[in-house]
Amino acid sequence: MSGGAHGDGTVVWTDRFLDYSWTPEHPMRPVRLQFTMALARGLGLLEGVESLTPAAAGDSELLRVHTHDYIEAVKHARPPLGPTPDAPPYGLGSADNPVFPHMHEAASVIVGGTLAAAQEIAAGRTRRAVSIGGGMHHAMPAAAAGFCVYNDVAVAISWLLENGFDRIAYLDVDVHHGDGVQRVFYGDPRVLTISLHQHPATLWPNTGWPEETGSGAGEGSAVNLPIMPGTRDPLWLRGFHAVVPGALAAFRPQIVISQCGVDTHREDPLADLDLSVDGQRAAFIAMRDLADRYAEGRWLAVGGGGYGLIRVVPRAWTHLLATALDRTVEPSTPTPAAWRELVGAYAPTVAVPETMSDGADTAFDPWDGPGGGRETGDDRTDRARRALDVSVLATRRASFGLLGLDPEDPRD
Ligand SMILES: [Zn+2]
């Protein structure tokens, strides 16, 4: 397979992504996208790269996933004059999802971006496409949830299903469960959803248990790996490689769609996993390689969560862009001085990262079956490893048989 040739990777971008802007106090802020693009440009990653400017998705596309009444409610939503109700209609106007100006338009552009990426790949004009504005995986057919208004990924998958694709793998590494996408395709055997996330007993939306494996004809089409708080890169990667490659090999997808939320980072203010940008970079490279191996290189990557606006998201998603473009950035690469100045001016009290690395070690021991694993003698390390292995086994026992795999055989 050729690497790095023109046309192999497309970056979807429009400044209109920055209109997806909640309240000034909200943790999801568009500067994270702005600083990512500034860093990627500063490193010269986007020179000569095909860039695609998306239009807003129309109602006919939104209706693939969302109800007419919900879309109308988003269009007509206005910020409340009084206090915020606890359970507002359609989830619009809650603390997580406050109404903001032109919400419908901004959310539709995000859907348009992911849809355009899918259409480029489907037409064979590119093998890989990235839209860091996308990844709104919590949006439900008739409700906003978890900072997500319209489910761009579910719309794009639905479009692909009508345009020649009937085996689509969705891989979600956001710290939160990919509940919205799973919900939409839970009964559909043509879409395999895999989500790795912080354990549902410890984090919203409290779903994503190993026992959630799909329903009806879709039984076996959902895979969930819960991961304990405090888990670091090597164990997270051990879990990823114990579940994801086997499931993809069995499912034989025509395309891999990755939700690349980076709220798994140890500095993320909303969750409790302990990953570094180095571990996140390793995950992106692994997903690209899996798409190369099992999906003829077709890889659509979107963003998602990530609330370390300065120190995490820009570096992590710059690594994502670089990975998709076959322009891998070495972790030791210094961040450009102009970028450090730009973000330093925005956040004078934050220690601006000097390099593209957190200096973390991402080497890991592959999962080696029930009862396996190497004891180090360090109590914390060994307990964390055993907990991860318990999760891996629960997930494999729930899902692997349905995929025709042996849950206990580490070669599967
Ligand atoms: Zn998240």
Side-chain angles (χ1 to χ4, degrees), residues 134-138 153 170-176 178 181 257-263 284 287 299-305:
M136 301 299 149
H137 61 164
H138 298 305
V153 177
Y170 170 73
L171 183 46
D172 187 318
V173 297
D174 192 280
V175 79
H176 301 94
V181 182
I257 301 180
S258 298
Q259 199 272 18
C260 299
V262 290
D263 37 12
F284 302 150
M287 292 194 279
W299 188 37
L300 196 178
V302 293

PDB file of all heavy atoms in Angstrom, residues 134-138 153 170-176 178 181 257-263 284 287 299-305:
ATOM      1  N   GLY A 134     -15.843  16.933  14.185  1.00  0.00           N
ATOM      2  CA  GLY A 134     -16.893  15.935  14.373  1.00  0.00           C
ATOM      3  C   GLY A 134     -16.705  15.094  15.622  1.00  0.00           C
ATOM      4  O   GLY A 134     -15.827  15.348  16.445  1.00  0.00           O
ATOM      5  N   GLY A 135     -17.554  14.082  15.769  1.00  0.00           N
ATOM      6  CA  GLY A 135     -17.437  13.156  16.894  1.00  0.00           C
ATOM      7  C   GLY A 135     -18.469  13.371  17.974  1.00  0.00           C
ATOM      8  O   GLY A 135     -18.232  13.063  19.146  1.00  0.00           O
ATOM      9  N   MET A 136     -19.654  13.859  17.599  1.00  0.00           N
ATOM     10  CA  MET A 136     -20.699  14.181  18.591  1.00  0.00           C
ATOM     11  C   MET A 136     -21.496  12.921  18.930  1.00  0.00           C
ATOM     12  O   MET A 136     -22.693  12.790  18.626  1.00  0.00           O
ATOM     13  CB  MET A 136     -21.601  15.293  18.039  1.00  0.00           C
ATOM     14  CG  MET A 136     -20.828  16.567  17.718  1.00  0.00           C
ATOM     15  SD  MET A 136     -20.048  17.261  19.196  1.00  0.00           S
ATOM     16  CE  MET A 136     -18.590  18.012  18.469  1.00  0.00           C
ATOM     17  N   HIS A 137     -20.812  11.992  19.586  1.00  0.00           N
ATOM     18  CA  HIS A 137     -21.297  10.614  19.731  1.00  0.00           C
ATOM     19  C   HIS A 137     -22.421  10.415  20.741  1.00  0.00           C
ATOM     20  O   HIS A 137     -22.973   9.342  20.822  1.00  0.00           O
ATOM     21  CB  HIS A 137     -20.119   9.686  20.060  1.00  0.00           C
ATOM     22  CG  HIS A 137     -19.411  10.006  21.340  1.00  0.00           C
ATOM     23  ND1 HIS A 137     -18.553   9.107  21.953  1.00  0.00           N
ATOM     24  CD2 HIS A 137     -19.393  11.105  22.132  1.00  0.00           C
ATOM     25  CE1 HIS A 137     -18.055   9.640  23.047  1.00  0.00           C
ATOM     26  NE2 HIS A 137     -18.536  10.850  23.178  1.00  0.00           N
ATOM     27  N   HIS A 138     -22.718  11.448  21.551  1.00  0.00           N
ATOM     28  CA  HIS A 138     -23.794  11.279  22.541  1.00  0.00           C
ATOM     29  C   HIS A 138     -25.167  11.711  22.025  1.00  0.00           C
ATOM     30  O   HIS A 138     -26.176  11.422  22.673  1.00  0.00           O
ATOM     31  CB  HIS A 138     -23.502  12.094  23.804  1.00  0.00           C
ATOM     32  CG  HIS A 138     -22.260  11.679  24.525  1.00  0.00           C
ATOM     33  ND1 HIS A 138     -22.035  10.381  24.933  1.00  0.00           N
ATOM     34  CD2 HIS A 138     -21.161  12.389  24.909  1.00  0.00           C
ATOM     35  CE1 HIS A 138     -20.855  10.316  25.546  1.00  0.00           C
ATOM     36  NE2 HIS A 138     -20.303  11.515  25.537  1.00  0.00           N
ATOM     37  N   VAL A 153     -21.601  11.368  13.220  1.00  0.00           N
ATOM     38  CA  VAL A 153     -21.080  10.060  12.840  1.00  0.00           C
ATOM     39  C   VAL A 153     -22.224   9.130  12.429  1.00  0.00           C
ATOM     40  O   VAL A 153     -22.131   8.430  11.415  1.00  0.00           O
ATOM     41  CB  VAL A 153     -20.284   9.431  14.002  1.00  0.00           C
ATOM     42  CG1 VAL A 153     -19.813   8.060  13.607  1.00  0.00           C
ATOM     43  CG2 VAL A 153     -19.112  10.309  14.390  1.00  0.00           C
ATOM     44  N   TYR A 170     -17.200   1.048  13.656  1.00  0.00           N
ATOM     45  CA  TYR A 170     -17.093   2.318  14.385  1.00  0.00           C
ATOM     46  C   TYR A 170     -16.312   2.058  15.668  1.00  0.00           C
ATOM     47  O   TYR A 170     -16.670   1.190  16.471  1.00  0.00           O
ATOM     48  CB  TYR A 170     -18.491   2.847  14.723  1.00  0.00           C
ATOM     49  CG  TYR A 170     -18.484   4.024  15.664  1.00  0.00           C
ATOM     50  CD1 TYR A 170     -18.082   5.278  15.235  1.00  0.00           C
ATOM     51  CD2 TYR A 170     -18.865   3.876  17.000  1.00  0.00           C
ATOM     52  CE1 TYR A 170     -18.058   6.365  16.101  1.00  0.00           C
ATOM     53  CE2 TYR A 170     -18.853   4.954  17.870  1.00  0.00           C
ATOM     54  CZ  TYR A 170     -18.452   6.196  17.414  1.00  0.00           C
ATOM     55  OH  TYR A 170     -18.434   7.266  18.278  1.00  0.00           O
ATOM     56  N   LEU A 171     -15.236   2.808  15.839  1.00  0.00           N
ATOM     57  CA  LEU A 171     -14.299   2.564  16.933  1.00  0.00           C
ATOM     58  C   LEU A 171     -14.180   3.844  17.749  1.00  0.00           C
ATOM     59  O   LEU A 171     -13.750   4.870  17.229  1.00  0.00           O
ATOM     60  CB  LEU A 171     -12.968   2.176  16.278  1.00  0.00           C
ATOM     61  CG  LEU A 171     -11.777   1.787  17.081  1.00  0.00           C
ATOM     62  CD1 LEU A 171     -12.151   0.806  18.171  1.00  0.00           C
ATOM     63  CD2 LEU A 171     -10.757   1.151  16.135  1.00  0.00           C
ATOM     64  N   ASP A 172     -14.575   3.789  19.015  1.00  0.00           N
ATOM     65  CA  ASP A 172     -14.715   4.997  19.829  1.00  0.00           C
ATOM     66  C   ASP A 172     -13.766   4.920  21.022  1.00  0.00           C
ATOM     67  O   ASP A 172     -13.934   4.070  21.902  1.00  0.00           O
ATOM     68  CB  ASP A 172     -16.183   5.068  20.293  1.00  0.00           C
ATOM     69  CG  ASP A 172     -16.528   6.353  21.013  1.00  0.00           C
ATOM     70  OD1 ASP A 172     -15.718   6.814  21.829  1.00  0.00           O
ATOM     71  OD2 ASP A 172     -17.625   6.886  20.768  1.00  0.00           O
ATOM     72  N   VAL A 173     -12.760   5.817  21.050  1.00  0.00           N
ATOM     73  CA  VAL A 173     -11.788   5.780  22.155  1.00  0.00           C
ATOM     74  C   VAL A 173     -11.927   6.980  23.086  1.00  0.00           C
ATOM     75  O   VAL A 173     -11.069   7.205  23.946  1.00  0.00           O
ATOM     76  CB  VAL A 173     -10.329   5.664  21.632  1.00  0.00           C
ATOM     77  CG1 VAL A 173     -10.136   4.354  20.877  1.00  0.00           C
ATOM     78  CG2 VAL A 173      -9.927   6.865  20.764  1.00  0.00           C
ATOM     79  N   ASP A 174     -12.983   7.746  22.932  1.00  0.00           N
ATOM     80  CA  ASP A 174     -13.313   8.828  23.867  1.00  0.00           C
ATOM     81  C   ASP A 174     -13.427   8.232  25.281  1.00  0.00           C
ATOM     82  O   ASP A 174     -13.768   7.064  25.437  1.00  0.00           O
ATOM     83  CB  ASP A 174     -14.659   9.431  23.440  1.00  0.00           C
ATOM     84  CG  ASP A 174     -15.011  10.738  24.120  1.00  0.00           C
ATOM     85  OD1 ASP A 174     -15.482  10.687  25.285  1.00  0.00           O
ATOM     86  OD2 ASP A 174     -14.845  11.792  23.488  1.00  0.00           O
ATOM     87  N   VAL A 175     -13.179   9.053  26.304  1.00  0.00           N
ATOM     88  CA  VAL A 175     -13.252   8.529  27.672  1.00  0.00           C
ATOM     89  C   VAL A 175     -14.692   8.159  28.046  1.00  0.00           C
ATOM     90  O   VAL A 175     -14.926   7.352  28.944  1.00  0.00           O
ATOM     91  CB  VAL A 175     -12.651   9.522  28.685  1.00  0.00           C
ATOM     92  CG1 VAL A 175     -13.630  10.659  29.008  1.00  0.00           C
ATOM     93  CG2 VAL A 175     -12.216   8.823  29.960  1.00  0.00           C
ATOM     94  N   HIS A 176     -15.659   8.755  27.345  1.00  0.00           N
ATOM     95  CA  HIS A 176     -17.067   8.450  27.592  1.00  0.00           C
ATOM     96  C   HIS A 176     -17.569   7.400  26.595  1.00  0.00           C
ATOM     97  O   HIS A 176     -17.107   7.351  25.457  1.00  0.00           O
ATOM     98  CB  HIS A 176     -17.925   9.718  27.455  1.00  0.00           C
ATOM     99  CG  HIS A 176     -17.542  10.814  28.397  1.00  0.00           C
ATOM    100  ND1 HIS A 176     -16.664  11.824  28.046  1.00  0.00           N
ATOM    101  CD2 HIS A 176     -17.898  11.051  29.678  1.00  0.00           C
ATOM    102  CE1 HIS A 176     -16.508  12.650  29.081  1.00  0.00           C
ATOM    103  NE2 HIS A 176     -17.240  12.196  30.093  1.00  0.00           N
ATOM    104  N   GLY A 178     -19.560   5.613  23.779  1.00  0.00           N
ATOM    105  CA  GLY A 178     -20.158   6.105  22.533  1.00  0.00           C
ATOM    106  C   GLY A 178     -21.617   5.699  22.434  1.00  0.00           C
ATOM    107  O   GLY A 178     -22.024   4.965  21.527  1.00  0.00           O
ATOM    108  N   VAL A 181     -24.154   6.615  19.113  1.00  0.00           N
ATOM    109  CA  VAL A 181     -23.898   5.832  17.895  1.00  0.00           C
ATOM    110  C   VAL A 181     -24.309   4.381  18.130  1.00  0.00           C
ATOM    111  O   VAL A 181     -24.943   3.750  17.288  1.00  0.00           O
ATOM    112  CB  VAL A 181     -22.412   5.936  17.486  1.00  0.00           C
ATOM    113  CG1 VAL A 181     -22.174   5.161  16.189  1.00  0.00           C
ATOM    114  CG2 VAL A 181     -21.988   7.397  17.323  1.00  0.00           C
ATOM    115  N   ILE A 257     -14.306   3.800  11.066  1.00  0.00           N
ATOM    116  CA  ILE A 257     -14.605   5.179  11.463  1.00  0.00           C
ATOM    117  C   ILE A 257     -14.224   5.317  12.934  1.00  0.00           C
ATOM    118  O   ILE A 257     -14.731   4.593  13.784  1.00  0.00           O
ATOM    119  CB  ILE A 257     -16.098   5.503  11.264  1.00  0.00           C
ATOM    120  CG1 ILE A 257     -16.465   5.299   9.789  1.00  0.00           C
ATOM    121  CG2 ILE A 257     -16.413   6.919  11.733  1.00  0.00           C
ATOM    122  CD1 ILE A 257     -17.924   5.580   9.455  1.00  0.00           C
ATOM    123  N   SER A 258     -13.290   6.221  13.223  1.00  0.00           N
ATOM    124  CA  SER A 258     -12.788   6.362  14.593  1.00  0.00           C
ATOM    125  C   SER A 258     -13.269   7.661  15.218  1.00  0.00           C
ATOM    126  O   SER A 258     -13.092   8.732  14.641  1.00  0.00           O
ATOM    127  CB  SER A 258     -11.259   6.378  14.612  1.00  0.00           C
ATOM    128  OG  SER A 258     -10.726   5.178  14.135  1.00  0.00           O
ATOM    129  N   GLN A 259     -13.832   7.560  16.412  1.00  0.00           N
ATOM    130  CA  GLN A 259     -14.106   8.737  17.221  1.00  0.00           C
ATOM    131  C   GLN A 259     -12.913   8.878  18.151  1.00  0.00           C
ATOM    132  O   GLN A 259     -12.621   7.991  18.956  1.00  0.00           O
ATOM    133  CB  GLN A 259     -15.409   8.563  18.005  1.00  0.00           C
ATOM    134  CG  GLN A 259     -16.029   9.871  18.513  1.00  0.00           C
ATOM    135  CD  GLN A 259     -15.523  10.301  19.880  1.00  0.00           C
ATOM    136  OE1 GLN A 259     -14.482   9.840  20.354  1.00  0.00           O
ATOM    137  NE2 GLN A 259     -16.265  11.181  20.535  1.00  0.00           N
ATOM    138  N   CYS A 260     -12.185   9.995  18.017  1.00  0.00           N
ATOM    139  CA  CYS A 260     -10.875  10.143  18.660  1.00  0.00           C
ATOM    140  C   CYS A 260     -10.893  11.150  19.799  1.00  0.00           C
ATOM    141  O   CYS A 260      -9.981  11.980  19.922  1.00  0.00           O
ATOM    142  CB  CYS A 260      -9.837  10.534  17.618  1.00  0.00           C
ATOM    143  SG  CYS A 260      -9.664   9.284  16.314  1.00  0.00           S
ATOM    144  N   GLY A 261     -11.906  11.113  20.640  1.00  0.00           N
ATOM    145  CA  GLY A 261     -11.943  11.981  21.817  1.00  0.00           C
ATOM    146  C   GLY A 261     -10.670  11.803  22.639  1.00  0.00           C
ATOM    147  O   GLY A 261     -10.164  10.696  22.772  1.00  0.00           O
ATOM    148  N   VAL A 262     -10.155  12.917  23.166  1.00  0.00           N
ATOM    149  CA  VAL A 262      -8.897  12.847  23.921  1.00  0.00           C
ATOM    150  C   VAL A 262      -9.096  13.254  25.380  1.00  0.00           C
ATOM    151  O   VAL A 262      -8.168  13.685  26.057  1.00  0.00           O
ATOM    152  CB  VAL A 262      -7.785  13.683  23.236  1.00  0.00           C
ATOM    153  CG1 VAL A 262      -7.360  12.999  21.940  1.00  0.00           C
ATOM    154  CG2 VAL A 262      -8.221  15.111  22.952  1.00  0.00           C
ATOM    155  N   ASP A 263     -10.326  13.064  25.877  1.00  0.00           N
ATOM    156  CA  ASP A 263     -10.593  13.299  27.300  1.00  0.00           C
ATOM    157  C   ASP A 263     -10.141  12.119  28.167  1.00  0.00           C
ATOM    158  O   ASP A 263     -10.402  12.088  29.369  1.00  0.00           O
ATOM    159  CB  ASP A 263     -12.076  13.642  27.549  1.00  0.00           C
ATOM    160  CG  ASP A 263     -13.040  12.874  26.671  1.00  0.00           C
ATOM    161  OD1 ASP A 263     -12.607  11.909  26.014  1.00  0.00           O
ATOM    162  OD2 ASP A 263     -14.237  13.228  26.655  1.00  0.00           O
ATOM    163  N   PHE A 284      -3.865   6.340  17.847  1.00  0.00           N
ATOM    164  CA  PHE A 284      -4.207   6.800  16.487  1.00  0.00           C
ATOM    165  C   PHE A 284      -3.435   5.974  15.448  1.00  0.00           C
ATOM    166  O   PHE A 284      -4.000   5.572  14.431  1.00  0.00           O
ATOM    167  CB  PHE A 284      -3.884   8.289  16.307  1.00  0.00           C
ATOM    168  CG  PHE A 284      -4.597   9.196  17.292  1.00  0.00           C
ATOM    169  CD1 PHE A 284      -4.009  10.393  17.708  1.00  0.00           C
ATOM    170  CD2 PHE A 284      -5.843   8.853  17.802  1.00  0.00           C
ATOM    171  CE1 PHE A 284      -4.658  11.225  18.606  1.00  0.00           C
ATOM    172  CE2 PHE A 284      -6.497   9.687  18.704  1.00  0.00           C
ATOM    173  CZ  PHE A 284      -5.892  10.876  19.106  1.00  0.00           C
ATOM    174  N   MET A 287      -4.980   2.603  15.100  1.00  0.00           N
ATOM    175  CA  MET A 287      -6.249   2.604  14.357  1.00  0.00           C
ATOM    176  C   MET A 287      -5.992   2.746  12.856  1.00  0.00           C
ATOM    177  O   MET A 287      -6.635   2.088  12.041  1.00  0.00           O
ATOM    178  CB  MET A 287      -7.162   3.717  14.885  1.00  0.00           C
ATOM    179  CG  MET A 287      -7.634   3.417  16.306  1.00  0.00           C
ATOM    180  SD  MET A 287      -9.012   4.439  16.869  1.00  0.00           S
ATOM    181  CE  MET A 287      -8.159   5.922  17.352  1.00  0.00           C
ATOM    182  N   TRP A 299     -10.207   4.980   6.170  1.00  0.00           N
ATOM    183  CA  TRP A 299     -10.238   5.418   7.573  1.00  0.00           C
ATOM    184  C   TRP A 299     -10.808   6.826   7.654  1.00  0.00           C
ATOM    185  O   TRP A 299     -10.272   7.756   7.051  1.00  0.00           O
ATOM    186  CB  TRP A 299      -8.828   5.389   8.174  1.00  0.00           C
ATOM    187  CG  TRP A 299      -8.783   5.646   9.661  1.00  0.00           C
ATOM    188  CD1 TRP A 299      -9.685   5.226  10.584  1.00  0.00           C
ATOM    189  CD2 TRP A 299      -7.772   6.383  10.373  1.00  0.00           C
ATOM    190  NE1 TRP A 299      -9.295   5.647  11.852  1.00  0.00           N
ATOM    191  CE2 TRP A 299      -8.131   6.359  11.739  1.00  0.00           C
ATOM    192  CE3 TRP A 299      -6.609   7.045   9.991  1.00  0.00           C
ATOM    193  CZ2 TRP A 299      -7.361   6.977  12.721  1.00  0.00           C
ATOM    194  CZ3 TRP A 299      -5.832   7.667  10.973  1.00  0.00           C
ATOM    195  CH2 TRP A 299      -6.209   7.622  12.330  1.00  0.00           C
ATOM    196  N   LEU A 300     -11.907   6.946   8.374  1.00  0.00           N
ATOM    197  CA  LEU A 300     -12.511   8.251   8.630  1.00  0.00           C
ATOM    198  C   LEU A 300     -12.334   8.532  10.119  1.00  0.00           C
ATOM    199  O   LEU A 300     -12.821   7.768  10.957  1.00  0.00           O
ATOM    200  CB  LEU A 300     -13.999   8.207   8.260  1.00  0.00           C
ATOM    201  CG  LEU A 300     -14.771   9.521   8.078  1.00  0.00           C
ATOM    202  CD1 LEU A 300     -16.201   9.221   7.657  1.00  0.00           C
ATOM    203  CD2 LEU A 300     -14.772  10.408   9.299  1.00  0.00           C
ATOM    204  N   ALA A 301     -11.622   9.604  10.434  1.00  0.00           N
ATOM    205  CA  ALA A 301     -11.389   9.931  11.843  1.00  0.00           C
ATOM    206  C   ALA A 301     -12.055  11.251  12.181  1.00  0.00           C
ATOM    207  O   ALA A 301     -11.984  12.214  11.405  1.00  0.00           O
ATOM    208  CB  ALA A 301      -9.896  10.004  12.127  1.00  0.00           C
ATOM    209  N   VAL A 302     -12.727  11.282  13.325  1.00  0.00           N
ATOM    210  CA  VAL A 302     -13.319  12.522  13.822  1.00  0.00           C
ATOM    211  C   VAL A 302     -12.780  12.806  15.221  1.00  0.00           C
ATOM    212  O   VAL A 302     -12.156  11.944  15.847  1.00  0.00           O
ATOM    213  CB  VAL A 302     -14.869  12.444  13.853  1.00  0.00           C
ATOM    214  CG1 VAL A 302     -15.428  12.375  12.436  1.00  0.00           C
ATOM    215  CG2 VAL A 302     -15.343  11.252  14.684  1.00  0.00           C
ATOM    216  N   GLY A 303     -13.051  14.014  15.709  1.00  0.00           N
ATOM    217  CA  GLY A 303     -12.622  14.399  17.055  1.00  0.00           C
ATOM    218  C   GLY A 303     -13.558  13.827  18.097  1.00  0.00           C
ATOM    219  O   GLY A 303     -13.871  12.647  18.078  1.00  0.00           O
ATOM    220  N   GLY A 304     -14.025  14.688  19.001  1.00  0.00           N
ATOM    221  CA  GLY A 304     -14.891  14.239  20.080  1.00  0.00           C
ATOM    222  C   GLY A 304     -14.583  15.044  21.332  1.00  0.00           C
ATOM    223  O   GLY A 304     -14.301  16.248  21.249  1.00  0.00           O
ATOM    224  N   GLY A 305     -14.591  14.360  22.486  1.00  0.00           N
ATOM    225  CA  GLY A 305     -14.316  15.050  23.735  1.00  0.00           C
ATOM    226  C   GLY A 305     -12.858  15.457  23.849  1.00  0.00           C
ATOM    227  O   GLY A 305     -12.003  15.014  23.081  1.00  0.00           O
TER     228      GLY A 305
END
